[in-house]
Amino acid sequence: MKARFIKNSAMRDLRAQVAINLRRYQSGDFSELLDKANLGGMYFELNDSEADLDLLAKLEGPETNDLKEAHNAHIVYRAIKVTPYQAKDERLWVYLCHTAGLDFIRKRHPKIMSPNKDEAVKEIIQRFFIVNGHRGYERSNALARLWSYGDLASKNKGVKLDRTLEVFLYQTDVRAQIIERPSTFTNPNVFAATMRFMFAKYKSEEKRKKFFNRKEGEMPAYRRLFTRLNELGGIMLLGAIPPQDLDRLVMSAAKQVGAD
Amino acid sequence: MKFDPQKSFGHPVLRPGSEDYVHADFQSGIGFGINEKNENQYLLSYDVAIGVKELRDLITAKRGAVQIELNCRTTFYSRVYEINFLKGAVPIEANLVRGGLEICCYVTAKKIIAGFTSPKINSEFGKGAITFPRYAVLACEAPIYYWVDREAFRNITSIFDYGQDPELSEGVWRLNLEEDRVQIILSPNQLAILKQAQNSKQNQAIIINAIIFGAVVEIVNTLKVKNDFVGRRWAQNVLAKCSALGVQLGDSANAIDVAQKLMSKPLATLNSLVFKSGDDN
């Protein structure tokens, strides 16, 4: 089916009535509210978009220490086929979060179920709506953030998406460090070269520990590498460098900061 | 790459605000707008002027290249375009970018460049020849920022809807700014008259000048003083259109001037379609 976008007026109403609708968020659903759409009102569809709700139903909640981030990002990115322009429309995610994503969000973000009403409302606003601009899409909204990871990982051409996501999302801080350095890592060539370097580290148990793990009182190797790449991006136009030379540059940067 | 005129590259870089080269400028003449031939694309236009002959020679010899970097933080889109001519335009798919765009023009070294000299290099770099490392930045301009939203390039009339109020008398209208589209509220009779009238271009020009223009002036005045409506779709559209046109909505903005810019001189449309359309005799 085509992706649905909630209408602005309906979105404003939902946002204003989170506390009133608390029970719906915690154990009910919004079908009664959003089904009005069929009578001509609460959402619209865009022709050049697609939402595979069967695939979205495969989203998984956390298990012990595994948040299933890579699996879920893979699902959301494949299920929601929209352009980057459409993906930065709050209305898309608000509709999905209040419909197909509702069960998953309860499992993944259990603060929504908090008996403390204020805490629950705060969490719902973060996870079901877009707050704080870019951060809302990349960090907070329960589904938009997963799509954003899939979109970024898809820039690593020639490598299977799930494989890139596995390494990119292996550690929360690695992902955060990359996303928070947009001037360096938005360029697909730079991102791909960095991912190739990280794959090599990820493959070996020993190298993986050395590169990804934190030691007390020491900046992790990946952070040192990203900081160095950021510095190099301040004096070179990294995005203009061909892939093979970028691989060499990343390797050399890693050596310079002891992250090789 | 963040632009900083004080940054030290270890070699001279032609850029504004820096004295690495004396009496020499680097200008990119960047422009950004909808592609008139394809509404699904933007056109990034450029007209690059490099005030150092020796740098221009490097480009001619393919040892240096002019590159334009486009970054869209919102969609995480980034691309570097190597351009072969100093003047031209590149198309950008509209569905890849949204919100703030940062565009910056560079000249970079395609290979190691040894023995570079220019009489315009600041004497602080010494009199000897300079070697540029491969991929070094040789010139850059301060970034230029654009705010893009596809709706900003639609006709301003797209933000309006008609609504009805039976309490209103014929010949009277008012505005409702509370919805995602601005509603022009009319009596049912008046609305019927307007809808009938819209069938001719001449009448459309009259409606645009008699009603829409007044509405846009009111909208501009409202956006100048109130933030209450910024979340509304119509307000985002108007703000994006102002940004695209380089119009500031500060206290000193004249709403009549702004409205005329947003509507591309509506009186001129009236002139051509109504006042001058008939036989002058």
Side-chain angles (χ1 to χ4, degrees):
Chain A
M1 62 178 269
K2 290 171 192 162
R4 290 177 174 175
F5 295 67
I6 193 167
K7 287 195 170 177
N8 265 319
S9 53
M11 183 166 72
R12 274 201 306 277
D13 289 348
L14 279 176
R15 175 83 182 253
Q17 292 168 5
V18 170
I20 297 169
N21 287 325
L22 193 54
R23 193 167 283 178
R24 289 183 195 274
Y25 284 103
Q26 292 180 330
S27 56
D29 65 58
F30 290 83
S31 54
E32 190 189 317
L33 291 179
L34 295 173
D35 275 353
K36 279 189 206 167
N38 301 331
L39 302 171
M42 303 289 261
Y43 66 78
F44 61 94
E45 294 176 342
L46 289 185
N47 282 334
D48 53 346
S49 67
E50 198 183 313
D52 182 342
L53 300 189
D54 293 335
L55 188 53
L56 218 51
K58 293 180 180 165
L59 288 170
E60 292 178 11
E63 273 176 23
T64 55
N65 288 330
D66 184 3
L67 293 173
K68 305 277 179 82
E69 292 279 85
H71 167 82
N72 289 332
H74 193 222
I75 294 278
V76 174
Y77 188 68
R78 284 188 302 140
I80 309 302
K81 296 210 184 308
V82 291
T83 66
Y85 180 91
Q86 291 165 341
K88 299 298 168 174
D89 191 324
E90 180 179 10
R91 297 170 297 177
L92 167 68
W93 303 111
V94 171
Y95 186 85
L96 279 169
C97 286
H98 285 82
T99 52
L102 189 54
D103 282 340
F104 162 71
I105 299 171
R106 284 187 193 123
K107 288 182 207 151
R108 175 63 182 83
H109 302 286
K111 273 191 192 168
I112 287 160
M113 313 302 283
S114 170
N116 178 329
K117 190 174 173 183
D118 290 345
E119 187 178 62
V121 167
K122 195 176 163 194
E123 184 74 358
I124 288 165
I125 288 172
Q126 287 230 4
R127 303 304 178 189
F128 285 78
F129 298 87
I130 301 288
V131 289
N132 295 327
H134 299 309
R135 285 190 162 220
Y137 289 102
E138 291 153 10
R139 286 180 149 205
S140 313
N141 181 279
L143 299 180
R145 57 189 280 282
L146 293 169
W147 191 93
S148 296
Y149 304 154
D151 183 48
L152 182 57
S154 74
K155 293 176 199 286
N156 190 16
K157 303 280 183 215
V159 180
K160 281 188 172 177
L161 183 63
D162 55 349
R163 183 87 179 114
T164 303
L165 283 166
E166 184 185 340
V167 179
F168 174 53
L169 298 174
Y170 173 61
Q171 280 211 1
T172 309
D173 190 49
V174 171
R175 178 203 72 205
Q177 292 294 316
I178 286 178
I179 285 182
E180 283 164 17
R181 290 188 165 90
S183 59
T184 301
F185 291 111
T186 47
N187 185 277
N189 293 345
V190 180
F191 176 75
T194 309
M195 287 308 301
R196 282 193 290 274
F197 183 84
M198 291 207 296
F199 276 140
K201 299 293 169 200
Y202 187 80
K203 271 197 296 196
S204 136
E205 185 76 28
E206 189 191 340
K207 286 180 181 173
R208 185 192 300 192
K209 271 187 193 164
K210 201 176 153 201
F211 185 76
F212 288 99
N213 287 9
R214 292 158 170 252
K215 277 186 195 162
E216 211 174 313
E218 197 179 293
M219 190 189 272
Y222 63 84
R223 270 205 190 200
R224 295 200 299 274
L225 172 62
F226 296 165
T227 306
R228 181 63 190 141
L229 288 176
N230 221 34
E231 286 166 4
L232 289 171
I235 53 170
M236 301 168 94
L237 187 56
L238 297 181
I241 301 176
Q244 294 98 325
D245 286 353
L246 264 179
D247 284 340
R248 277 187 220 115
L249 183 136
V250 173
M251 182 67 82
S252 147
K255 273 188 185 151
Q256 287 165 14
V257 295
D260 55 330
Chain B
M1 198 175 93
K2 274 190 184 160
F3 177 80
D4 176 0
Q6 305 306 321
K7 187 188 292 172
S8 172
F9 286 80
H11 59 259
V13 175
L14 180 63
R15 59 197 147 148
S18 159
E19 295 294 317
D20 288 4
Y21 288 83
V22 289
H23 307 303
D25 287 331
F26 175 55
Q27 291 172 342
S28 59
I30 296 284
F32 197 86
I34 201 84
N35 185 352
E36 301 290 340
K37 291 176 185 163
N38 180 349
E39 63 173 17
N40 293 318
Q41 288 179 339
Y42 295 115
L43 268 190
L44 192 173
S45 60
Y46 52 86
D47 188 355
V48 180
I50 304 166
V52 175
K53 178 186 173 297
E54 293 75 15
L55 288 176
R56 292 197 301 272
D57 290 345
L58 289 179
I59 295 161
T60 308
K62 307 241 182 260
R63 298 168 73 202
V66 181
Q67 280 147 334
I68 296 175
E69 183 181 43
L70 179 145
N71 275 312
C72 178
R73 174 66 186 85
T74 306
T75 59
F76 242 71
Y77 178 76
S78 174
R79 182 152 174 206
V80 175
Y81 300 88
E82 183 168 326
I83 57 178
N84 295 318
F85 301 98
L86 294 181
K87 187 173 181 179
V90 288
I92 316 283
E93 293 304 314
N95 61 21
L96 294 174
V97 292
R98 182 172 199 152
L101 286 188
E102 185 185 89
I103 303 170
C104 199
C105 186
Y106 299 87
V107 176
T108 62
K110 295 199 85 171
K111 40 189 84 174
I112 296 170
I113 297 169
F116 182 83
T117 58
S118 166
K120 292 190 172 178
I121 293 176
N122 193 315
S123 57
E124 286 178 7
F125 284 93
K127 288 192 174 170
I130 287 168
T131 298
F132 294 122
R134 195 175 188 194
Y135 305 126
V137 172
L138 310 181
C140 64
E141 204 188 15
I144 292 160
Y145 299 94
Y146 286 91
W147 182 269
V148 297
D149 191 315
R150 289 158 85 171
E151 292 186 12
F153 291 95
R154 287 191 195 153
N155 192 307
I156 191 81
T157 54
S158 67
I159 68 168
F160 292 100
D161 257 349
Y162 287 120
Q164 295 184 40
D165 181 353
E167 303 289 312
L168 283 180
S169 51
E170 202 173 295
V172 175
W173 60 277
R174 61 179 174 78
L175 281 183
N176 174 15
L177 302 178
E178 298 293 336
E179 301 297 325
D180 286 325
R181 301 177 92 185
V182 174
Q183 287 186 317
I184 295 168
I185 312 284
L186 308 143
S187 70
N189 273 350
Q190 184 63 64
L191 182 57
I193 293 168
L194 275 189
K195 289 210 162 169
Q196 177 67 28
Q198 276 181 333
N199 291 329
S200 87
K201 280 192 171 180
Q202 286 84 353
N203 286 350
Q204 282 173 15
I206 292 168
I207 292 168
I208 280 171
N209 279 273
I211 297 179
I212 306 291
F213 183 72
V216 174
V217 169
E218 174 62 16
I219 282 168
V220 171
N221 274 324
T222 303
L223 290 176
K224 273 175 65 180
V225 296
K226 278 189 187 173
N227 288 326
D228 307 19
F229 298 105
V230 168
R232 302 283 191 277
R233 199 95 188 129
W234 63 260
Q236 290 172 6
N237 187 309
V238 172
L239 292 171
K241 199 167 179 72
C242 284
S243 174
L245 293 168
V247 172
Q248 301 287 331
L249 277 189
D251 290 343
S252 60
N254 180 309
I256 291 177
D257 291 346
V258 173
Q260 289 182 82
K261 281 185 187 164
L262 289 172
M263 297 177 68
S264 309
K265 293 194 256 178
L267 183 58
T269 312
L270 203 58
N271 281 342
S272 63
L273 288 176
V274 181
F275 302 147
K276 293 181 185 172
S277 65
D279 188 340
D280 285 344
N281 300 323

